[in-house]
Amino acid sequence: MATILHLETATTNCSVSIAKDGEMLVLKENNAANYSHSEQLHVFIKEAFSKASLSFSDLDAVAISKGPGSYTGLRIGVSSAKGLCFSLDIPLISVPTLQSMAYQVDVKPGELVIPVLDARRMEVYSCVYDASYKEVRETRAEIIEEASFAEYVSDSKVYVIGSGAEKIRGVLKHPNFIFNESVVPSSKDMIPIAFEKFESNEFEDVAYFEPYYLKDFVLQQKKKKN
């Protein structure tokens, strides 16, 4: 029996879920534009355990969405996950944020799904997955042009999902691209990936694990008033 806590803080959606043997028991999340993870995450964790009638001692592992995504959001989520793993002496599982997003699309054989997260200006974080949610092309930070992803568009649908889909909708012209900007990372979609990793003992080193930022953090300085 494997009881796993899943934490998703890579974007605006603060999301917590608990699953047993790959079956979700409870989900608590709130997609707020102001990134209030520091206030919400531990409250959601407490409420999830209460709703599931479980305690921290019942946990067998903690799964964290590892990025790419918001620098601050990832730091909050990873710090919380590592703290729990240290204190409870249980393993840490990392789940690629873009892969969990792909699980929100029912992809048929021959089709592809490309999760894209906004990364400032015309740049996005992106990865390409097949119908089995296996990586076809690695995760990149890239500026989208009309020829982007051209090698993956043929006679089948290609789903472009996530916060970056809206700003590139007018750039990718092929009719087989299907856009859905409403998809956000959620801890519920981490469950099958985390359970598979638990079964195969694919754990992270709690002491040295760091989020997958993909890009260096850039501090936005406020303009001085004249």
Side-chain angles (χ1 to χ4, degrees):
M1 301 288 286
T3 301
I4 302 176
L5 172 68
H6 308 78
L7 307 179
E8 170 57 75
T9 59
T11 65
T12 53
N13 191 30
C14 184
S15 181
V16 174
S17 64
I18 302 174
K20 180 171 288 187
D21 292 341
E23 297 294 328
M24 188 172 71
L25 301 178
V26 61
L27 171 68
K28 180 70 177 180
E29 62 183 2
N30 180 39
N31 187 22
N34 60 354
Y35 282 93
S36 55
H37 303 331
S38 59
E39 293 84 14
Q40 291 184 329
L41 182 59
H42 290 282
V43 174
F44 284 4
I45 292 173
K46 182 178 179 181
E47 290 177 354
F49 274 101
S50 176
K51 188 172 181 179
S53 298
L54 296 171
S55 64
F56 286 110
S57 61
D58 294 313
L59 281 183
D60 295 296
V62 177
I64 183 66
S65 178
K66 73 175 186 177
S70 157
Y71 182 92
T72 302
L74 289 171
R75 293 301 300 176
I76 292 170
V78 169
S79 296
S80 298
K82 291 174 71 169
L84 287 169
C85 290
F86 269 124
S87 62
L88 299 171
D89 193 24
I90 56 177
L92 174 68
I93 301 169
S94 71
V95 174
T97 303
L98 298 179
Q99 185 183 23
S100 69
M101 289 175 65
Y103 271 71
Q104 297 190 39
V105 180
D106 183 14
V107 191
K108 295 179 174 55
E111 298 177 345
L112 297 171
V113 57
I114 305 177
V116 287
L117 290 177
D118 197 342
R120 295 194 300 270
R121 298 185 179 89
M122 281 307 294
E123 196 170 27
V124 297
Y125 301 125
S126 67
C127 193
V128 182
Y129 296 95
D130 62 17
S132 299
Y133 307 106
K134 302 301 181 183
E135 191 176 284
V136 174
R137 196 220 67 191
E138 79 283 358
T139 299
R140 298 175 187 171
E142 58 185 325
I143 296 174
I144 300 299
E145 302 172 342
E146 189 171 346
S148 297
F149 312 121
E151 65 269 39
Y152 304 109
V153 180
S154 56
D155 298 326
S156 298
K157 296 176 182 178
V158 177
Y159 298 91
V160 182
I161 63 172
S163 61
E166 183 176 8
K167 72 179 183 182
I168 65 177
R169 180 190 292 269
V171 179
L172 303 179
K173 302 295 187 179
H174 198 286
N176 283 344
F177 284 119
I178 299 174
F179 299 91
N180 185 352
E181 60 270 18
S182 66
V183 174
V184 295
S186 172
S187 63
K188 69 180 185 300
D189 303 300
M190 296 170 58
I191 292 172
I193 305 171
F195 183 62
E196 182 178 343
K197 287 192 171 188
F198 183 88
E199 291 283 271
S200 60
N201 293 314
E202 191 176 340
F203 304 132
E204 302 292 344
D205 187 318
V206 178
Y208 295 101
F209 177 76
E210 291 291 333
Y212 181 42
Y213 295 121
L214 194 59
K215 289 174 60 176
D216 292 334
F217 176 61
V218 178
L219 179 62
Q220 301 291 332
Q221 295 185 351
K222 295 182 179 179
K223 293 182 179 180
K224 294 182 178 180
K225 296 182 178 179
N226 294 329

